[in-house]
């Protein structure tokens, strides 16, 4: 009887395997992944109807094996045209039948290839974690861009911003894309995340692209985030939640010749910290993150996470990552509080534990006398004084580190021009609606004067009667005529970069004149 049951099971297994032969990936993929995939589909006028239908067919075949839902994979489609449009968001389809029907009903937008606006929508809305209808927090996000490569616009910057926010970028170009541009766009490794393929041969990359997406969305994986010079955070899916167990974490420098990661890490299954020096941590079974501290800058580490439980045997996971290089001060130099004869220079990071002292050198350009000042290691700014007005200076901040290394950074700064205030303003009424305006001012750097007048009512509020005009620097007086009964007059000196401080006076007449003007 046992043999008959076993034989029957084998036959059933063979039948199921054969019936899935045309889509062998289905059984392998169904429950593998968790994350959000946004497809950026070029449907502009440069894409023919035939090419567009082939792209949609490719998406249908690519996505068919995935299980969809809140705790599985979610899919969104953002079309690129003159006005990009979100065809459907991540919360729209939880079943394959609904997704496949939506793909079949999708129509092209046509128009221009406004990829930059589409990427802005993706970053600020669709792929933003935790937002309304946006991506899920703490889960992988993938952007897959399908394009014919014709005039995609300036995409390098927006794509870099997405990658910096943790979005994995994959690109499929149907023949006209610039390889040098697209290789800068995708998330490494380029060989598995960038594809050039003829529109009629897209099916040949389906399996490779699907595998690349699966590797990113694989639910049982160990990730590294928030990598700095001396720390990193491990993140994993809490597979022990609800079980009696804990996580054993070991990490240490990777063996010589080991795989060097790029700071983001990738999934693995074999521990590689054994045999060398390593640190050990434990976390309870409901944990999903752990911070690794005490790391060395610019060093490749391997971390291994082993779920320990008496109820279930789970494989250990490993990841390799590289800490960031140490940033030596000064890494940034800024300028503030600029005046005619002084300016404040600041720098960072401070690093008092490694810097012996800072030295600030400055000279007027071109070829001015070199000045120098030394600043203590606990200070990250200094005020440079006795400078020449309206002059450009080259300022260099250098640091001598305790282990012999030196670093310097230079900036150009400009002092403000001298802008003397208006010295005096006098109004002398002439008749019932005119006033003689006289003023005194310094001529240094003067470019002219800006004069305004405005009528006021009996309560001091401004009326609709007003006028403004520019006067040359050689004038120190003018006459305004046909003014309202109460008029406020203001004069400002004008210099190369801005106006100086002016003066205002009010003249009062007893007149109902309706016209106004001025006479120099």
């Amino acid at each position: 009887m046992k043999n008959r049951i076993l034989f029957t099971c084998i036959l059933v297994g063979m039948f199921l395997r054969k019936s899935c032969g045309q889509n062998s990936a289905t059984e392998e993929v169904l429950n593998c992944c968790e994350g959000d995939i946004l497809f950026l589909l070029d449907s502009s006028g440069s894409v023919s109807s035939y090419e567009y239908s082939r792209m949609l067919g490719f998406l249908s075949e690519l996505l068919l094996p995935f299980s969809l839902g809140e705790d599985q994979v979610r899919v969104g489609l953002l079309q690129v045209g003159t006005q990009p449009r979100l065809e459907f968001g991540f919360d729209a389809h939880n079943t394959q039948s609904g997704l496949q029907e939506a793909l079949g009903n999708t129509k092209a937008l046509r128009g221009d290839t406004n990829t930059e606006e589409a990427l802005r929508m993706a970053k600020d809305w669709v792929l933003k974690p935790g937002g309304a209808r946006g991506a899920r927090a703490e889960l992988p996000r993938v952007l897959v861009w399908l394009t014919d490569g014709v005039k995609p616009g300036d995409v390098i910057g927006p794509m870099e911003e997405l990658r910096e926010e943790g979005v994995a970028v994959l690109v499929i170009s149907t023949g006209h894309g610039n390889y040098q541009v697209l290789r800068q766009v995708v998330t490494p490794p380029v060989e598995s995340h960038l594809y050039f393929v003829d529109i009629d041969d897209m099916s040949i990359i389906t399996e490779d692209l699907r595998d690349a997406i699966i590797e990113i969305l694989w639910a049982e994986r160990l990730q590294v985030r928030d990598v700095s010079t001396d720390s990193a955070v491990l993140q994993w899916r809490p597979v022990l939640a609800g079980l009696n167990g804990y996580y054993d974490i070991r990490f240490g420098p990777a063996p010589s010749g080991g795989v060097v990661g790029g700071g983001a890490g990738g999934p693995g299954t074999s521990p590689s910290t054994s045999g060398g020096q390593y640190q050990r941590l434990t976390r309870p079974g409901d944990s999903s993150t752990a911070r690794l501290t005490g790391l060395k800058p610019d060093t490749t580490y391997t971390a291994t996470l082993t779920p320990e439980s008496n109820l279930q045997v789970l494989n250990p996971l490993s990841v390799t990552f590289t800490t960031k290089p140490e940033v030596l001060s000064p890494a940034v130099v800024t300028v503030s509080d600029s005046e005619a004869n002084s300016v404040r220079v600041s720098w960072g990071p401070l690093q008092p534990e490694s810097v012996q002292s800072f030295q600030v050198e400055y000279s007027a350009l071109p070829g001015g006398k070199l000045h120098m000042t030394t600043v203590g290691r606990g200070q990250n700014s200094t005020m440079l004084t006795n400078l020449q007005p309206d002059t450009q200076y080259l300022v260099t901040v250098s640091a001598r580190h305790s282990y012999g290394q030196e670093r310097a950074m230079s900036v150009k700064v400009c002092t403000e021009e001298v802008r003397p205030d208006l010295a005096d303003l006098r109004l002398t009424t002439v008749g019932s609606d005119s006033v003689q305006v006289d003023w005194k001012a310094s001529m240094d750097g003067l470019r002219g004067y800006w004069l305004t007048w405005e009528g006021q009512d009996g309560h001091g509020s401004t009326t609709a009667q007003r006028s403004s005009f520019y006067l040359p620097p050689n004038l120190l007086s003018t006459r305004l005529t046909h003014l309202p009964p109460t008029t406020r007059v203001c004069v400002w000196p004008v210099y190369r970069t801005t106006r100086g401080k002016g003066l205002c006076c009010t003249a009062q007449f007893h007149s109902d004149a309706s016209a106004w003007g001025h006479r120099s």
Side-chain angles (χ1 to χ4, degrees):
M1 184 67 178
K2 280 186 176 181
N3 291 338
R4 181 177 298 176
I5 293 174
L6 179 60
F7 182 66
T8 302
C9 289
I10 293 174
L11 286 177
V12 171
M14 292 176 62
F15 176 77
L16 289 175
R17 184 181 296 266
K18 184 176 181 181
S19 66
C20 295
Q22 292 181 342
N23 195 3
S24 61
T26 302
E27 290 189 26
E28 300 172 12
V29 175
L30 276 177
N31 293 300
C32 71
C33 305
E34 188 177 13
D36 296 322
I37 313 172
L38 178 64
F39 288 91
L40 193 65
L41 180 61
D42 188 351
S43 65
S44 62
S46 63
V47 179
S48 69
S49 298
Y50 173 76
E51 291 174 323
Y52 186 72
S53 65
R54 294 287 295 178
M55 287 183 177
L56 288 178
F58 170 73
L59 290 184
S60 176
E61 180 184 0
L62 176 72
L63 294 171
L64 185 60
F66 287 97
S67 287
L68 306 179
E70 188 59 33
D71 59 347
Q72 302 282 348
V73 172
R74 301 194 309 173
V75 177
L77 179 62
L78 179 59
Q79 295 214 78
V80 179
T82 303
Q83 294 293 331
R85 182 175 69 200
L86 182 65
E87 200 65 34
F88 53 81
F90 294 131
D91 59 347
H93 303 295
N94 291 326
T95 64
Q96 274 292 342
S97 59
L99 175 62
Q100 296 296 329
E101 182 180 358
L103 289 173
N105 294 332
T106 301
K107 305 299 181 184
L109 297 182
R110 303 303 177 198
D112 297 329
T113 310
N114 194 356
T115 312
E116 296 172 57
E117 175 62 18
L119 290 174
R120 187 195 64 79
M121 292 173 60
K123 176 179 178 293
D124 296 344
W125 172 30
V126 189
L127 287 170
K128 188 173 184 178
R133 301 180 63 191
R136 291 167 290 184
E138 306 299 329
L139 287 179
R141 293 166 292 159
V142 180
L143 176 69
V144 181
W145 179 26
L146 279 78
T147 176
D148 65 351
V150 177
K151 297 181 179 179
D154 183 10
V155 298
I156 294 179
M159 288 291 196
E160 182 179 3
E161 292 178 0
L162 284 169
R163 295 197 310 274
E164 288 177 350
E165 293 187 1
V167 178
V169 178
L170 289 71
V171 177
I172 302 98
S173 175
T174 58
H176 302 288
N178 185 322
Y179 174 78
Q180 295 301 327
V181 171
L182 297 184
R183 71 183 299 272
Q184 298 180 62
V185 162
V186 299
T187 301
V190 175
E191 56 271 16
S192 59
H193 290 174
L194 175 58
Y195 300 87
F196 285 84
V197 63
D198 187 82
I199 194 69
D200 290 318
D201 297 325
M202 295 190 74
S203 60
I204 66 176
I205 68 168
T206 303
E207 186 174 343
D208 290 339
L209 178 60
R210 187 187 295 132
D211 288 344
I213 293 174
I214 290 172
E215 185 164 347
I216 297 170
L217 301 184
W218 189 257
E220 293 184 349
R221 72 192 170 283
L222 185 61
Q223 291 184 312
V224 182
R225 60 178 176 84
D226 299 340
V227 179
S228 68
T229 58
D230 59 1
S231 67
V233 174
L234 292 183
Q235 184 174 359
W236 61 90
R237 191 178 185 185
V239 294
L240 292 180
L243 300 177
N244 184 20
Y246 65 94
Y247 298 100
D248 182 85
I249 303 168
R250 303 187 183 196
F251 61 98
S256 300
V259 178
V260 177
T269 56
S270 59
S272 55
T273 54
S274 58
Q277 293 183 348
Y278 63 87
Q279 300 180 62
R280 183 181 179 187
L281 298 173
T282 59
R283 289 292 181 267
D286 58 354
S287 300
S288 60
T289 62
R291 177 174 290 277
L292 312 182
T293 58
L295 308 182
K296 296 180 180 179
D298 198 20
T299 303
T300 301
Y301 284 85
T302 296
T304 300
L305 175 81
T306 304
E308 301 285 1
S309 173
N310 294 329
L311 304 177
Q312 188 174 354
V313 178
L314 297 167
N315 291 328
L317 301 173
S318 290
V319 66
T320 301
F321 64 95
T322 301
T323 52
K324 292 183 177 180
E326 185 175 17
V327 177
L328 295 180
S329 184
V332 60
V333 177
T334 59
V335 178
S336 61
D337 303 334
S338 179
E339 301 290 346
N341 303 109
S342 64
V343 65
R344 177 169 294 279
V345 179
S346 305
W347 57 87
L350 194 56
Q351 297 180 333
E353 69 285 350
S354 64
V355 174
Q356 292 180 330
S357 63
F358 293 99
Q359 185 170 277
V360 182
E361 300 176 333
Y362 57 100
S363 61
L365 294 177
K369 181 182 178 181
L370 181 65
H371 301 270
M372 185 182 310
T373 182
T374 300
V375 179
R377 62 183 180 179
Q379 187 175 337
N380 69 339
S381 71
T382 188
M383 182 70 79
L384 306 182
T385 58
N386 299 320
L387 305 181
Q388 301 174 25
D390 198 17
T391 302
Q392 186 179 55
Y393 281 81
L394 179 65
V395 179
T396 301
V397 179
S398 57
R400 179 180 294 275
H401 292 260
S402 56
Y403 41 85
Q405 206 164 0
E406 291 189 9
R407 178 176 171 83
M409 179 171 284
S410 299
V411 294
K412 290 181 180 179
V413 303
C414 291
T415 53
E416 299 289 336
E417 62 178 332
V418 176
R419 298 187 298 269
D421 299 339
L422 198 71
D424 185 33
L425 177 64
R426 295 183 181 182
L427 303 184
T428 304
T429 57
V430 180
S432 61
D433 63 357
S434 300
V435 65
Q436 178 71 25
V437 185
D438 298 279
W439 59 88
K440 295 180 181 180
S442 172
M443 299 302 292
D444 293 339
L446 187 68
R447 298 297 177 91
Y449 300 96
W450 186 252
L451 186 150
T452 67
W453 65 261
E454 57 187 17
Q456 295 182 335
D457 60 20
H459 303 287
S461 300
T462 302
T463 67
Q465 297 173 316
R466 63 182 61 192
S467 182
S468 300
F469 43 87
Y470 175 81
L471 296 172
N474 59 317
L475 285 182
L476 293 175
S477 66
T478 189
R479 178 170 295 186
L480 307 178
T481 60
H482 306 297
L483 299 177
T486 301
T487 302
R488 182 172 177 81
V489 180
C490 298
V491 179
W492 292 272
V494 178
Y495 299 98
R496 182 177 59 85
T497 57
T498 187
R499 293 190 306 195
K501 186 177 180 181
L503 295 174
C504 296
C505 292
T506 301
Q508 291 185 331
F509 309 96
H510 299 286
S511 171
D512 295 327
S514 59
W516 57 89
H518 83 282
R519 184 178 65 196
S520 297

